[in-house]
Amino acid sequence: MALPNQLLGNCTVVDARVLDGVSPQKDAGVWIDGDRIAATGPYAEVAARARAAGPVVERDLNGAYVTPGLVNMHTHFSLSLPGSGGDGVKDLGPHDLALYMADGARRTLDCGVTTVRNVAEKDHADFALRRAIRAGWVPGPRMYTAGRALVCTGGHGHESGDTMECDGPVGFRHGVRSQIKAGADLIKVMISGGIAGEHEGIATPQLFADEMAAVIETAHAWGRKVTAHAGPAEVIAAAVELGLDCVEHGYQLTPQVAARMAERGTALVPTLLVTRCKEFFDELGVPEWMQCRSLGAGPRHLESFAMAVEAGVEILLGSDMPPFWSFEGTNATVRELENLAEQLGPARALHAGTRGPIRWLGAEDDLGTVEEGKYADLIAMDDDPLDDTSAFRGVRWVMKGGRLVRDEEQR
């Protein structure tokens, strides 16, 4: 019997149906050797190869559907919205904050989210957490992180330690380089207002063109992609022309701007939950002004998302709400994926939560599909997610890098 977080070594997963976004496989075997997939295919063939290589631990998943682990591309383990709940996070000391974030990482992995993209975390605690996860000191997903988000003086999110205030092209170039120096995998920049800033609106532009150009040019010169918190179409359009790689939220797109995003290869992480989560806001004591702004933006947000889908923009899964948060009968990651599926359909939603994000992260050689040579980051559920995305509500088995981190049958 394998225990949670035990490296299974030469392991064969048996009697599974593998869905990896490439080609569905029934009655499949997945041979896991160490932390990587050694082979996939018909069970009898894979099992024979594995047994020939040495002693085998076989795990019968009883016909479960196996997919790559989910990827959440808009994560904040140190999120602190306005209100009493957020104030409690802001008041944490550095040691408490690290432990709080580590607990969030553990809970995220337990949900079947094996990779995250952190897009603004407090005081560079994310880099310590990333090191701890890689070293095996704490359980958690693979982390790609932006460090602190860059923002103009007084701009969106300036109140917290998860942003760095900059002004002018020189200031923003320095901001990019400072995050890369700290270890950032990507750069996040706030180019407009949002729903959580009391003295701004969603449509408030916050960077001039030369400042946006400085961020994108500098980051690209260092081999880093740039994602931008952005709401209004005009601001997004200007950034897309400058080479922006990804838009977060995109509350107020137009068909023309969505079409240009598709042409330029600019992805969208729509974070649909943030404009339809009153229960979450109430739980955190979020003030009325923010709730009204957020929930009031919902209808236009959905229209904007539909425009992006129609234009062929690459859609990527990201919740903004903590990935593990219990919400509407499931966790925030799955609930966001269900919202995406209403427009995308189950197959494209699976792509948006697995292969698409991994490709954006540049990690497709190692992750994103169930194929030979890739890391054994796998999840299993009893229902078919290609029939209904809500199948992910039933994730019962989670593996990351060949280590079993959740097994409902052993609990």
Side-chain angles (χ1 to χ4, degrees):
M1 179 179 72
L3 300 176
N5 208 35
Q6 177 182 349
L7 189 65
L8 298 185
N10 191 6
C11 167
T12 304
V13 176
V14 305
D15 189 17
R17 287 170 279 193
V18 175
L19 307 174
D20 66 359
V22 178
S23 56
Q25 304 172 43
K26 296 182 179 179
D27 303 316
V30 182
W31 174 16
I32 299 155
D33 190 6
D35 61 355
R36 291 187 181 259
I37 298 169
T40 65
Y43 165 66
E45 297 176 13
V46 170
R49 289 180 59 188
R51 289 166 186 155
V56 174
V57 176
E58 297 198 21
R59 179 66 176 90
D60 191 341
L61 292 183
N62 300 312
Y65 292 85
V66 174
T67 74
L70 292 173
V71 185
N72 194 313
M73 292 284 277
H74 194 118
T75 300
H76 305 281
F77 286 138
S78 57
L79 181 70
S80 57
L81 296 175
S84 57
D87 290 343
V89 177
K90 287 181 181 179
D91 291 341
L92 292 174
H95 308 302
D96 300 307
L97 178 65
L99 291 171
Y100 175 83
M101 292 173 64
D103 179 64
R106 175 190 60 80
R107 295 167 69 183
T108 294
L109 182 59
D110 193 62
C111 290
V113 179
T114 55
T115 302
V116 296
R117 188 184 67 164
N118 301 69
V119 287
E121 301 290 2
K122 288 180 174 53
D123 306 326
H124 285 174
D126 45 325
F127 298 118
L129 178 58
R130 186 180 64 184
R131 289 192 297 271
I133 291 172
R134 288 176 176 175
W137 300 339
V138 297
R142 302 180 193 277
M143 284 177 55
Y144 293 80
T145 187
R148 289 175 172 167
L150 306 183
V151 58
C152 69
T153 296
H156 184 73
H158 74 278
E159 308 93 343
S160 182
D162 56 11
T163 59
M164 176 180 178
E165 290 182 305
C166 311
D167 288 300
V170 173
F172 276 97
R173 287 190 191 278
H174 171 69
V176 170
R177 292 172 180 141
S178 70
Q179 299 315 296
I180 294 173
K181 177 181 177 181
D185 302 297
L186 66 140
I187 297 298
K188 165 82 174 293
V189 61
M190 313 293 204
I191 63 174
S192 80
I195 62 175
E198 187 171 8
H199 304 297
E200 64 188 32
I202 289 174
T204 304
Q206 298 197 344
L207 268 70
F208 291 107
D210 59 349
E211 294 172 318
M212 287 193 287
V215 171
I216 295 168
E217 180 183 31
T218 307
H220 286 178
W222 284 78
R224 304 306 197 274
K225 289 184 175 180
V226 180
T227 194
H229 163 101
E234 303 80 24
V235 172
I236 293 170
V240 167
E241 294 305 317
L242 291 169
L244 182 67
D245 300 293
C246 188
V247 171
E248 308 298 310
H249 314 303
Y251 300 117
Q252 300 170 353
L253 293 175
T254 63
Q256 295 77 16
V257 172
R260 191 59 176 151
M261 288 175 64
E263 290 171 6
R264 300 276 289 181
T266 308
L268 174 66
V269 181
T271 66
L272 297 176
L273 283 181
V274 301
T275 55
R276 51 193 39 77
C277 59
K278 179 170 175 52
E279 174 188 325
F280 173 66
F281 288 154
D282 288 343
E283 188 175 353
L284 295 184
V286 170
E288 186 66 20
W289 65 262
M290 179 177 165
Q291 293 209 32
C292 288
R293 182 184 297 173
S294 172
L295 302 177
R300 181 68 177 87
H301 192 189
L302 277 181
E303 291 175 5
S304 182
F305 172 56
M307 292 172 190
V309 173
E310 178 67 23
V313 173
E314 176 84 357
I315 305 297
L316 307 176
L317 168 67
S319 61
D320 204 351
M321 188 187 297
F324 56 83
W325 206 270
S326 179
F327 183 69
E328 296 185 346
T330 185
N331 59 72
T333 301
V334 171
R335 190 68 190 99
E336 178 69 16
L337 194 62
E338 291 173 335
N339 282 328
L340 296 184
E342 291 180 9
Q343 286 284 338
L344 297 176
R348 287 182 67 187
L350 176 60
H351 177 88
T354 55
R355 200 176 188 188
I358 292 300
R359 185 168 59 187
W360 192 95
L361 292 167
E364 59 266 42
D365 288 345
D366 291 316
L367 299 165
T369 56
V370 187
E371 292 183 279
E372 181 177 338
K374 298 198 175 183
Y375 284 118
D377 288 12
L378 308 171
I379 59 177
M381 65 214 78
D382 291 321
D383 297 323
D384 187 349
L386 292 181
D387 285 340
D388 187 342
T389 302
S390 293
F392 284 102
R393 290 180 176 234
V395 169
R396 61 175 172 85
W397 186 89
V398 179
M399 172 178 281
K400 178 198 164 196
R403 292 185 181 274
L404 188 58
V405 296
R406 177 179 174 186
D407 188 349
E408 289 294 326
E409 292 189 9
Q410 304 297 343
R411 289 189 174 187

